[in-house]
Amino acid sequence: MSEAINEQELIDFIAGKSKVDAESIKLVLKHEQTFINNAKEDDIDSDEIVDYVMSRKDVKLDELTVETILELEMDYLMEKGIVTYID
């Protein structure tokens, strides 16, 4: 990823589309990054990330909301051309 991610813009994008508060979004993204940083493999399944985030005691969101946040993050990154899906 050569292009820098504007974290506040990302959070605003997710909050605007999901109606989830910014602090909850930051928390989900923080746990997601921790999971990715500690992952042993390059091919990470999104369900594994959701399960990990949901297992954190400080996350009070339901599973659908966590999935929505992560999907909107991917939408933002794709819109910005930072990531693409690999077929």
Side-chain angles (χ1 to χ4, degrees):
M1 260 188 256
S2 58
E3 191 175 328
I5 298 171
N6 180 328
E7 184 181 9
Q8 189 57 52
E9 187 178 278
L10 170 62
I11 291 167
D12 291 345
F13 176 87
I14 294 170
K17 295 199 179 268
S18 69
K19 308 300 183 220
V20 176
D21 66 279
E23 289 306 311
S24 294
I25 293 168
K26 286 181 193 177
L27 187 61
V28 169
L29 297 178
K30 179 186 86 160
H31 287 311
E32 174 197 28
Q33 193 60 55
T34 299
F35 179 85
I36 291 169
N37 290 344
N38 294 327
K40 303 277 190 261
E41 56 190 71
D42 291 334
D43 189 24
I44 299 170
D45 183 78
S46 61
D47 290 337
E48 294 172 350
I49 296 172
V50 172
D51 290 345
Y52 176 81
V53 171
M54 292 300 299
S55 73
R56 305 295 91 192
K57 293 186 186 332
D58 55 348
V59 174
K60 305 296 184 217
L61 303 170
D62 59 66
E63 187 172 344
L64 182 59
T65 303
V66 170
E67 288 175 353
T68 299
I69 290 169
L70 296 174
E71 287 171 6
L72 287 169
E73 177 193 25
M74 184 59 73
D75 289 350
Y76 173 85
L77 296 174
M78 288 180 63
E79 250 182 46
K80 295 294 180 179
I82 297 170
V83 298
T84 58
Y85 278 115
I86 299 172
D87 291 328

